[in-house]
Amino acid sequence: MTITDETLIRLRSAAAAGDAQAALRVGRLLCLTAADPAEPGDGEPTWPEEPWLRAAVAAHPDDVEALTLLTGRLAQQISYWQACLDMNPDVMKWYREDESTVERRHIEAEKLYARIRAAAPTRHAGAGLDELAVLLGVGDKPPAEYAYSFYVMEDEAWGRLGASQRDHRRLRRR
């Protein structure tokens, strides 16, 4: 599929009309960016794919691809908001968020991750799911060294914004 503005418009229209596969495709395409290119904004992450991925998961609760994409994006949000909390908790108020933001997303991501594992994905998904488990603090394997992760955002000013097991264990103790 060629990715053009027309393709996105067509997919968005189909997804808005209830086509779960179109919602999954829009969500997957939007996962490639932190902000919706069709929406004006200040460049801050907005996770525009989340509603589309939620629609795909609602329509097909056992779709491993949709579950994995949504869980991965929640993990990315967790790491972003945890970094905000660690650096300046007052920033959360600007976005109408608070400390419960991280905890809510983490609980949901853990439940989605359990659903992914219960669906018995193919063995090819193993490495990515292991890394996702590390970020969520539910895995027993160490993080992969020198591996690119779609679940970790990097920012030149802040550095690596990935969540660690230590961060999530500390959060759970609160």
Side-chain angles (χ1 to χ4, degrees):
M1 168 188 339
T2 303
I3 303 171
T4 63
D5 289 342
E6 292 78 27
T7 302
L8 274 172
I9 290 168
R10 193 170 9 93
L11 284 172
R12 281 179 197 262
S13 295
D19 182 337
Q21 286 303 314
L24 177 58
R25 287 187 183 114
V26 170
R28 185 178 36 227
L29 290 173
L30 291 174
C31 280
L32 301 173
T33 182
D36 190 340
E39 298 292 326
D42 58 6
E44 290 292 322
T46 60
W47 295 281
E49 70 288 338
E50 185 178 349
W52 300 112
L53 294 174
R54 287 186 183 284
V57 168
H60 300 286
D62 297 325
D63 184 324
V64 172
E65 181 181 6
L67 286 166
T68 303
L69 287 169
L70 180 56
T71 306
R73 294 313 265 196
L74 289 174
Q76 195 177 70
Q77 291 176 33
I78 291 164
S79 50
Y80 178 82
W81 291 118
Q82 186 62 54
C84 286
L85 274 173
D86 291 346
M87 290 181 3
N88 181 359
D90 294 332
V91 162
M92 301 292 279
K93 294 175 193 166
W94 301 340
Y95 296 99
R96 296 186 191 103
E97 303 284 354
D98 57 30
E99 286 189 16
S100 68
T101 297
V102 176
E103 186 174 355
R104 275 191 328 272
R105 283 180 174 83
H106 195 268
I107 290 167
E108 181 182 9
E110 281 185 5
K111 288 178 183 176
L112 290 170
Y113 182 82
R115 287 172 54 189
I116 294 166
R117 286 297 190 182
T122 65
R123 65 181 178 84
H124 301 293
L129 291 176
D130 289 346
E131 184 68 13
L132 184 53
V134 168
L135 288 171
L136 294 174
V138 297
D140 56 354
K141 295 182 179 183
E145 290 189 40
Y146 309 111
Y148 178 81
S149 175
F150 285 101
Y151 309 125
V152 177
M153 294 179 69
E154 296 201 10
D155 182 282
E156 290 179 19
W158 292 5
R160 188 176 173 136
L161 299 179
S164 69
Q165 284 182 314
R166 178 184 43 77
D167 293 333
H168 294 300
R169 287 188 183 124
R170 185 183 75 231
L171 177 66
R172 286 188 188 148
R173 283 188 285 234
R174 289 185 184 170

